[in-house]
Amino acid sequence: EVQLVESGGDSVQAGGSLRLSCAVSGTYHHSGYCMAWFRKTPGGELEGVALRHGDARTRYADSVKGRFTISKDSAKNILYLQMDNLKSEDTARYYCAADHRPVCPGMSVMSYYENVGQGTQVTVSS
């Protein structure tokens, strides 16, 4: 069974940076699986932030383009989200999601992914 554990959330000032990590335990029987980051805002809105297909192609929400970077250390089975120039509107609980399919099922619905972590809280104060 695949399990995902996020870490790295914190409280920071606007303009600051954070790096979130998502440790993957278990296996999908191949290395070319897809992963993504979602976030749930204080208002309850759930939105896709970034995804990484199994072939390493990435995609970002317009709201984070140029500020966030998704990457993966395949040797360590860790997914990262580098977040720079943070804004107050980035305040949310961030969730890591993974699926055995090499092409991610988009950024619209987190429940399309087979596995989702418990999340890590990011709070940005202005």
Side-chain angles (χ1 to χ4, degrees):
E1 181 182 352
V2 173
Q3 292 188 326
L4 309 175
V5 179
E6 303 95 333
S7 61
D10 205 344
S11 296
V12 297
Q13 295 281 332
S17 297
L18 281 175
R19 188 177 77 161
L20 305 184
S21 299
C22 173
V24 183
S25 62
T27 178
Y28 285 115
H29 303 294
H30 64 89
S31 60
Y33 54 90
C34 76
M35 298 193 73
W37 287 98
F38 287 80
R39 64 186 181 187
K40 189 171 185 178
T41 66
E45 180 184 0
L46 185 63
E47 58 180 352
V49 175
L51 63 78
R52 181 187 183 280
H53 295 297
D55 63 1
R57 288 179 298 129
T58 58
R59 179 180 158 196
Y60 297 90
D62 288 343
S63 58
V64 306
K65 275 182 185 175
R67 300 188 298 121
F68 290 12
T69 303
I70 188 172
S71 63
K72 181 184 173 190
D73 185 330
S74 296
K76 297 181 179 178
N77 270 347
I78 299 176
L79 182 75
Y80 298 104
L81 184 68
Q82 177 66 41
M83 306 187 295
D84 298 319
N85 190 20
L86 283 161
K87 304 176 180 180
S88 57
E89 51 263 44
D90 294 319
T91 294
R93 188 164 186 86
Y94 285 71
Y95 297 88
C96 173
D99 194 281
H100 79 280
R101 290 170 284 185
V103 178
C104 289
M107 293 198 299
S108 299
V109 182
M110 191 168 68
S111 61
Y112 286 168
Y113 289 74
E114 294 172 324
N115 301 97
V116 179
Q118 294 299 306
T120 185
Q121 180 66 35
V122 172
T123 302
V124 184
S125 56
S126 55

